[in-house]
Amino acid sequence: MSRVSLVVCLFAAIGLFAAAQEPKPADPAPLDLTAQQDHKLMMEALKIDSLRPGANGMNPSAPNAANYDESKANPYPNLPDPLILKNGERVASAEIWWKKRRPEIVEDFDREIYGRVPQDVPKVTWEVTSKTEEKVGEFPVVVKKLIGHVDCSRCPQIKVDIQLTLTTPADAKGPVPVMMEFGFGGFGPRPGQTGASAKKATPKPAAKGAGNPFGPPWQPLVLAKGWGYAIIVPVSIQADNGAGLTKGIIGLCNKGQPRKPDDWGALRAWAWGASRALDYFETDPVVDAKQVGIEGLSRYGKAALVTMAYDQRFAIGFIGSSGEGGAKLHRRRFGELVENLTGSGEYHWMAGNFLKYGGPLTPGDLPVDAHELIALCAPRPVFISYGASSGPGAEGQWVDQRGSFMAAVAAGPVYKLLGKKDLGTVIFPEIEAAVIQGELAFRQHKGGHTTGPNWPTFLEFADRYIKIK
Ligand code: GCU
């Protein structure tokens, strides 16, 4: 080596050494944005100038009043076929479903609808913070309170501590099945709810003489079967508003910066949290983790369906009044619409890419629809629950019971391909008629916006699958 090149090498080495010593540029501070600001940033990222307005569920004479006319409800009558591959070939075997078609559908939901869970979500460490003996009704139980601490070393300003309680029969002889609920944490207005949606979502009091439209408490019914139950608090995983997207588990993964268009939304984050709770159950000898079900109502009914669809360890799903973004077909023009979920009050449930379907694209452009979300649950049993569309104390039609039934019908061929039974009917059932003969089930109870009165029928259905070992 010549002297010149030796000197050059020496300088290069010194340069490299100096670069390695330089402090890395500090991460930008986590952002504090309003939902409107974050929503606008996402529109800019997607190069969208305007979105169509959502349906107005409060004022029937508004120009954008919610449609409740069945003759106008199906502007996009052709659903994507869950059993046709992207290359046009028909899915002729269970093997092709599992190896090719199911992953295609998952990819579409990930990219366009609910968003992707990042590859490197920090670890959760579960801590039992208390264990007490209590009574629920006549049943002696053991109640464990738990916190799932998420490792926040990536961005110490953002703390995520998942709240979970597990209640199991005190006299259990072995591991018990558990029904887990996404808990509202009490009634009353929920964080992030404003305007029309808050009014719609608030449980209505019973009309005089209508009985209790919320039904009896469900926990004793579950305990009477010798099962346990768990309540997970979704807002301890991810806030229920757009302002929270730079915080919570989504914000932690992004170090407090805004989402990319295919990043996960709150529904996927809540479902992720439920999966972490199931990880814990797998380590707790009082739980039979192969027999854990998931239940939720409304936005948490959507989350329960997303949980069931994505995590095949969940044994059964009880999907309460999930409506748009849940079991209802996006392509239906009835009650709540895609355009409601792309507005700044609800977009945080979804991936940013979903905004495109509220303008310039339409719901008819979605590569997948709700029937395929239900199909992702196959062959596991799923019970789709609603309240009554009319009558005293009823839920109303904002949730589009019929559009959800149609989705369950269209999911049927996948259940059949996997050797299971579909709904067994294509005729929309009367209130209180239980369609529970197959692995796909549907029932509207007489009451309001609750799963309450459907619990006994759900448990009758669940009894065929969930057994104390
Ligand atoms: C509103 C919203 C629904 C949602 C519901 C709830 O009604 O439009 O999509 O399911 O709130 O979560 O209570």
Side-chain angles (χ1 to χ4, degrees):
M1 197 184 278
S2 76
R3 191 175 293 178
V4 176
S5 48
L6 192 72
V7 170
V8 169
C9 278
L10 200 68
F11 274 110
I14 291 170
L16 276 178
F17 180 75
Q21 295 303 297
E22 250 170 49
K24 284 205 204 97
D27 283 323
L31 294 179
D32 232 330
L33 301 170
T34 63
Q36 287 73 16
Q37 288 168 334
D38 181 78
H39 184 256
K40 191 158 169 279
L41 284 178
M42 185 56 76
M43 284 180 66
E44 284 166 14
L46 296 168
K47 305 197 169 45
I48 295 178
D49 307 322
S50 72
L51 292 164
R52 296 181 298 277
N56 182 332
M58 304 305 287
N59 176 8
S61 48
N64 59 334
N67 174 51
Y68 293 121
D69 176 350
E70 204 37 62
S71 72
K72 297 189 181 133
N74 300 296
Y76 313 104
N78 301 323
L79 300 181
D81 190 327
L83 293 181
I84 294 190
L85 287 155
K86 297 253 183 216
N87 67 10
E89 276 169 33
R90 178 146 280 282
V91 178
S93 68
E95 200 195 345
I96 305 281
W97 165 258
W98 289 114
K99 289 214 177 122
K100 295 205 171 146
R101 182 58 180 145
R102 193 178 188 281
E104 285 183 354
I105 295 175
V106 167
E107 167 58 23
D108 283 343
F109 275 109
D110 270 357
R111 197 185 56 253
E112 302 296 307
I113 309 214
Y114 298 111
R116 301 180 199 281
V117 175
Q119 296 280 321
D120 55 350
V121 186
K123 288 242 153 2
V124 179
T125 310
W126 286 99
E127 179 197 359
V128 180
T129 57
S130 73
K131 182 176 165 188
T132 51
E133 301 207 348
E134 294 177 23
K135 270 191 141 192
V136 172
E138 58 186 287
F139 303 100
V141 294
V142 177
V143 180
K144 277 185 196 152
K145 288 209 157 95
L146 294 120
I147 304 259
H149 302 284
V150 183
D151 174 6
C152 68
S153 49
R154 185 179 304 181
C155 186
Q157 297 98 311
I158 301 177
K159 299 255 179 302
V160 183
D161 283 320
I162 307 173
Q163 296 165 26
L164 174 73
T165 59
L166 170 65
T167 304
T168 50
D171 53 5
K173 302 278 178 294
V176 296
V178 164
M179 279 304 300
M180 176 155 64
E181 173 170 86
F182 283 110
F184 275 108
F187 282 125
R190 274 130 22 210
Q193 275 189 262
T194 48
S197 120
K199 286 208 194 78
K200 261 274 154 214
T202 307
K204 294 183 200 102
K208 251 206 180 131
N212 173 7
F214 300 106
W218 59 275
Q219 294 86 341
L221 302 179
V222 170
L223 293 170
K225 301 183 76 62
W227 306 358
Y229 61 85
I231 312 283
I232 187 162
V233 178
V235 293
S236 67
I237 304 163
Q238 183 61 41
D240 189 11
N241 52 57
L245 287 171
T246 53
K247 308 177 180 73
I249 191 65
I250 297 176
L252 176 59
C253 290
N254 286 336
K255 299 186 185 173
Q257 301 307 306
R259 295 187 297 169
K260 296 183 297 304
D262 65 347
D263 272 352
W264 47 345
L267 291 173
R268 198 74 207 282
W270 294 333
W272 169 87
S275 292
R276 301 295 69 81
L278 184 47
D279 296 345
Y280 165 76
F281 297 147
E282 287 178 341
T283 68
D284 187 330
V286 308
V287 179
D288 178 353
K290 294 224 157 26
Q291 301 200 83
V292 172
I294 185 79
E295 180 255 3
L297 173 75
S298 215
R299 63 202 60 196
Y300 300 146
K302 308 180 210 294
L305 185 52
V306 173
T307 304
M308 250 321 257
Y310 274 97
D311 189 337
Q312 297 182 52
R313 295 174 301 164
F314 283 93
I316 192 164
F318 182 7
I319 314 303
S321 299
S322 57
E324 172 54 35
K328 179 213 159 196
L329 291 171
H330 297 289
R331 281 171 171 71
R332 287 268 293 177
R333 195 151 193 89
F334 194 97
E336 186 169 30
L337 303 177
V338 164
E339 286 83 350
N340 291 81
L341 264 61
T342 59
S344 63
E346 297 181 346
Y347 78 107
H348 62 278
W349 292 338
M350 315 302 282
N353 270 332
F354 191 72
L355 262 64
K356 296 183 298 191
Y357 301 93
L361 301 179
T362 72
D365 296 314
L366 282 162
V368 280
D369 212 318
H371 60 306
E372 288 161 303
L373 185 67
I374 301 172
L376 292 182
C377 305
R380 293 160 297 143
V382 175
F383 184 106
I384 295 170
S385 164
Y386 280 97
S389 47
S390 62
E395 167 160 57
Q397 299 185 88
W398 181 244
V399 290
D400 191 12
Q401 292 88 342
R402 185 186 290 269
S404 308
F405 178 77
M406 289 165 70
V409 169
V414 176
Y415 274 78
K416 286 182 126 172
L417 178 76
L418 301 183
K420 299 292 175 184
K421 287 200 193 121
D422 61 4
L423 286 169
T425 176
V426 296
I427 297 167
F428 187 53
E430 298 290 312
I431 307 292
E432 290 198 321
V435 180
I436 55 171
Q437 285 69 36
E439 276 66 40
L440 275 170
F442 184 91
R443 185 175 186 266
Q444 302 165 89
H445 60 71
K446 235 204 268 176
H449 195 52
T450 167
T451 49
N454 261 348
W455 269 98
T457 316
F458 167 74
L459 289 174
E460 187 188 330
F461 167 71
D463 218 33
R464 290 209 304 269
Y465 306 100
I466 307 290
K467 313 251 182 232
I468 298 213
K469 294 262 158 69

